[in-house]
Amino acid sequence: MTTFDDRERSFETKFAHDAELRFKAEARRNRLLGEWAAGLLGKTGDEARTYALTVVTSDFEEPGEDDVFRKLSEDLAGRADEATIRAKMVELREEARRQIASEA
């Protein structure tokens, strides 16, 4: 095994770890968005948790976050405008990253 092989394996391991953290942070952000939106919709308890899960799963419809935004925009029509939803998405992305980093 050469030093180059060791470095390559190290970079691959770091890449995989970083990808896993990004996935966890996005899923956490989506759950937090779902909880926020559930509150705006007047949902509590199990109903709010179930709704938050639908927001998480909406992210699997297509690459990127437009699918999550679209779901929230449709569900929150009349309760939150596009700018509010987008700002909350940014805010909760940072919060999710902080939470995941503190757990690692």
Side-chain angles (χ1 to χ4, degrees):
M1 189 83 44
T2 66
T3 302
F4 181 76
D5 291 334
D6 291 341
R7 290 178 88 188
E8 183 178 19
R9 183 173 295 120
S10 175
F11 283 124
E12 289 172 355
T13 302
K14 181 179 180 343
F15 179 82
H17 177 71
D18 290 349
E20 180 182 356
L21 289 179
R22 277 192 305 278
F23 176 79
K24 286 180 179 180
E26 288 300 311
R28 176 77 55 93
R29 189 256 342 237
N30 293 338
R31 182 179 55 81
L32 294 170
L33 279 167
E35 292 171 355
W36 167 75
L40 292 178
L41 295 169
K43 298 177 186 294
T44 59
D46 287 341
E47 189 179 23
R49 282 186 286 284
T50 300
Y51 178 78
L53 183 59
T54 68
V55 174
V56 172
T57 58
S58 73
D59 195 24
F60 300 125
E61 293 174 12
E62 62 186 47
E65 60 184 24
D66 286 341
D67 43 4
V68 174
F69 172 77
R70 192 171 36 257
K71 173 168 182 44
L72 291 172
S73 182
E74 290 169 4
D75 292 351
L76 297 176
R79 292 184 173 90
D81 62 8
E82 178 179 347
T84 302
I85 295 169
R86 294 247 186 234
K88 189 56 84 168
M89 290 174 81
V90 171
E91 174 190 334
L92 293 178
R93 176 181 294 116
E94 294 306 314
E95 175 61 26
R97 286 178 180 165
R98 279 192 295 275
Q99 288 179 9
I100 295 297
S102 72
E103 294 170 4

